[in-house]
Each structure stands twice: as C-alpha cells, then as structure tokens.
Amino acid sequence: MISHSASSSSVQASSRLWPLLILNFFMADFQAGIGPFLGIFLLAHGWQSGLVGTVMTMGGVAGMLMGIPAGALIDQTRRKRLWVIVAGVCTIAASAIILLSQEFWVVAGSQLATGIAGAVIIPAVTGITLGMVHQKGFVRQNGLNQAFNHAGNMVGAGLSGYLGWKFGFPAVFALAAVFGALSIASVLMIPAKSIDHAAARGMKEDDAEAKLSGLQILVECKPLLILAVALAAFHLGNAAMLPLYGMAVVSNAQSNGPWFVALTVIIAQGTMIVASLIAMRMAEEKGYWLVLLISFIALPIRGLIASQVLVPWGVYPVQMLDGVGAGLQSVAVPGLVARILNGTGRINAGQGAIATMQGLGAALSPVLGGWIAQIFGYEIAFVVLGSFALISVACWLGFSGLLKPACSGSSGENAFLADAQNVRDDPFPRGRASGG
C-alpha cells in the first residue's frame, strides 16, 4: 500500500514537472530570437565588426541594469508564468524589427529590448522551478532543466541554420515565433497552484516566522561577491568568442554564414547537454566548487585554440570547450546562488545580481573583442579574451577556504544563511563547524 502511494505521488510529481522541462526546451530559441545569427546578419548588410560589437554591448548593458530589479520583481510577484510569456513575446517582436530595418538605432533599440526581456525570463523560470521542487529537489531539477534547454538550443540552431540557408534569415525569425508559441503553451500547462511562492523566493521552509532579509544581503555575503567577480571576468572573455569566431571564418569566405553559425551552436549545445548532466551529478556528490573551477579553466584553452585554427574544422574543439564551460555553469551558478541565499527570501534578486555581473562582463566583451579584432586581428582578440578567465581561476583558488563551505554538496537545508541577520556579522556562522 505504501509502495503504491509512493508510486502515485511520483507520477503526479512527474506530470507536474514535464511542462517545465518542455518550457526549457522551447524557450531556448524563444528567448534568443536571432541570437547568435545577429553578427552574420549585420555583416551581410554592410556592418563592421566594431559596430556589431557596439550594439550587442548596448543590449548587454540593458540586461545588466535590469538584473536586480527583474530578480526582485520575480521574488515579489505571484504571476511568474505571466512574466515568462510577456518577456518572451517582447524578445520575438524586438528581433523581428531588425528584418524591417538595419539602421543603427533600430538595431540598437531591438537589442535593448531583448536584453531587458532576457533579464526577466531567467529568474522567472528559476523561481518557478524552485517553487515547484523546493531546495531539496533543485539541484537535480535544475540540471534536467538545463539539459533540456541546451537540447532546445541545439535543435533550434540546427533548424535555423537549415532554414536560413534554404530560405534566408526571415525563416530564422519564423522558427523563433513557432518556438515561442510552444513555450507559451508549455508555461500555461504548469499549474499555478503547484508553485510555492515562498519557496520560490527562498524563504526558510521549516520556519513560518522567518523574516525577509533586506537587499543589502546581496553586498554583505562574501561568497556571493567572489562568485560575481569571477563570473564577470569569465564573461568578459567568453561572450564575444562565438560571434567573433563565426565572423572570422565566414569573413574569409570559408563557410556558408547561417549554416556555420548553426554548427557552432549545435556543437556547443550538444556538449552542454552532457556537461549539465555531469554538473548535476558532481553537485549532488561533491558540491559546486570543482564544477566552477573546471568551467573557468576551459576558456583560456579555448582562446588559444581559436587563435590558431581559424578554419571551419576548428569549430569542433573551440565550441566543445565552450560547451564545457557554459554547460557546467548553467547548472552550478543558479544552484550555488540558491544554496547561498536560502533562508533570506532574496534568491531571485541574488540571481539577478549575479546576472548583472555576468552581464557587465558580457556587455563589454563584444565591443572589446570587436575592436581588438578590427585593429589587431582575430588571432590576438581570441588570446586576449581567453586570458580574462585567469582572473576567475585566481579568485576561485585564492578564496577556496571561504568558497568550499558555500559550495558544499551536503544534502539537506543550507546552514550558511539560516539566519539572515547573522550573515551581516559572519557569512557562514555554522558552515565551518558543519564540515562543509
């Protein structure tokens, strides 16, 4: 009888979570719109790499500035599903405008809107996930979410490459719109009552009297600050690598533009599927510290290889390393933030703060990489971009004594921020005593 009840409960849980996985699959193309195809599209319309990098940076800055407000909004609202829909529709509309005009301010406005919408979608889906499975189930569910998201990116990129080659760039936008409709259907299939909004924002689950922490917790938690600096440095080098590599190979007339860009995404996302599942298992058994260290180390190696193999076959090692870094981080970063800030009620604001720092690096990366490539050549640009991750590695190793307890893979409720007030004096009042 007990076995039957447990089995029934498991089936019910699975039926609730399938729409979440489907949402993560389809929202990949839904969220990105023209995404990585933007650089090739604008080059085909007479733009230079420096100007392409500039408009990408403008979008990144907009997303960066909206990170914390968007996260705080998701913490507060009980309409998380609605915000996924609104942000996604805005992304598709903003991307489609570029088809009508390639004037600088039209493209810049499109990227601003896309950056703002993206700042809302990510914490919204994270919040929905946490609200459905709580802290205890978050590591595993987030790993599965990311695997499905990378699979959606891979399928979307493959279809976009084929459709772009066969029918032109308008077909890429049409595909994004189809994925958008399926994403909306998926998010609406998630029962509103299945989302525990207190758990979704990270309130202490076993204490009805738990109080909400102030936003100052985001600048008082040392592990969160170190994570933010390390990720900002990583994305300063990483964000421009893919579009620049695509432009470098295509500009030498060595490959078909849309299909080559699609291939870069397919290889990276295919690797990310495997990496995200490995990260999920590593996080469950050993915690997040080693997962993130490996992700940081992948970027300098990738930059060196990219500088030496500016030919079509070079996409395989270059983008496989991208998949390693990004795939591991896609699981480790939201999981670690959720663990660090558990009990404060500010998890999604924290996710937004981290996204802001990632966005700061990512926003500066295209304009920095674009101008370096234009002045000194693509080879130098890749070496310089890859070297920024050495800052991330130095932070992670230098503060390992503080970070390892926060990254602990021990099961159960996070002890580090059980009392938000105590964090103001000592970020980890009980973490070291517990053995991490």
Side-chain angles (χ1 to χ4, degrees), residues 21-42:
L21 294 175
I22 296 171
L23 168 63
N24 276 274
F25 181 90
F26 286 116
M27 70 175 273
D29 206 58
F30 180 32
Q31 179 184 347
I34 194 171
F37 295 88
L38 177 63
I40 301 300
F41 178 76
L42 294 177

Side-chain angles (χ1 to χ4, degrees), residues 52 70 76 100 122 161 304 406:
V52 172
Q76 184 67 31
L100 304 178
I122 295 174
L304 286 174

Side-chain angles (χ1 to χ4, degrees), residues 135 138-139 142 288 330-340 351:
Q135 280 285 338
F138 186 72
V139 173
N142 184 51
Y288 293 114
S330 69
V331 173
V333 172
L336 180 54
V337 173
R339 177 169 291 165
I340 290 173
Q351 302 283 5

Side-chain angles (χ1 to χ4, degrees), residues 110-290:
S110 167
Q111 292 306 291
L112 290 172
T114 300
I116 293 171
V120 176
I121 292 177
I122 295 174
V125 174
T126 301
I128 289 171
T129 302
L130 191 55
M132 294 179 74
V133 301
H134 295 196
Q135 280 285 338
K136 186 175 294 185
F138 186 72
V139 173
R140 175 164 292 273
Q141 186 60 42
N142 184 51
L144 294 173
N145 283 358
Q146 296 306 322
F148 271 74
N149 187 265
H150 298 317
N153 258 316
M154 185 170 65
V155 171
L159 290 174
S160 295
Y162 173 76
L163 293 173
W165 167 67
K166 194 79 173 177
F167 304 107
F169 279 101
V172 176
F173 291 100
L175 179 66
V178 171
F179 271 49
L182 294 172
S183 297
I184 292 172
S186 300
V187 77
L188 291 175
M189 288 170 62
I190 298 173
K193 63 182 180 181
S194 70
I195 303 172
D196 180 340
H197 293 282
R201 68 184 303 170
M203 295 300 291
K204 194 171 180 182
E205 295 172 13
D206 62 352
D207 186 0
E209 303 298 323
K211 295 181 180 179
L212 180 68
S213 299
L215 285 173
Q216 69 268 25
I217 198 71
L218 303 181
V219 295
E220 292 173 345
C221 181
K222 293 178 183 178
L224 193 69
L225 294 177
I226 297 167
L227 174 65
V229 171
L231 289 172
F234 177 88
H235 285 277
L236 179 60
N238 187 69
M241 196 79 75
L242 170 57
L244 277 180
Y245 194 78
M247 288 189 287
V249 175
V250 172
S251 65
N252 292 331
Q254 298 185 56
S255 183
N256 170 269
W259 176 244
F260 182 79
V261 174
L263 184 61
T264 65
V265 177
I266 289 170
I267 295 169
Q269 295 295 331
T271 307
M272 287 179 200
I273 295 173
V274 178
S276 61
L277 294 175
I278 292 173
M280 177 184 73
R281 181 60 60 87
M282 290 178 66
E284 289 180 326
E285 296 179 354
K286 299 182 179 180
Y288 293 114
W289 187 82
L290 182 59

Side-chain angles (χ1 to χ4, degrees), residues 231 234 238 289-300 321-322 324-330 332-333 389 393:
L231 289 172
F234 177 88
N238 187 69
W289 187 82
L290 182 59
V291 176
L292 283 165
L293 178 63
I294 294 171
S295 78
F296 296 145
I297 292 172
L299 182 57
L321 284 167
D322 180 39
V324 170
L328 295 178
Q329 287 186 18
S330 69
V333 172
V393 174

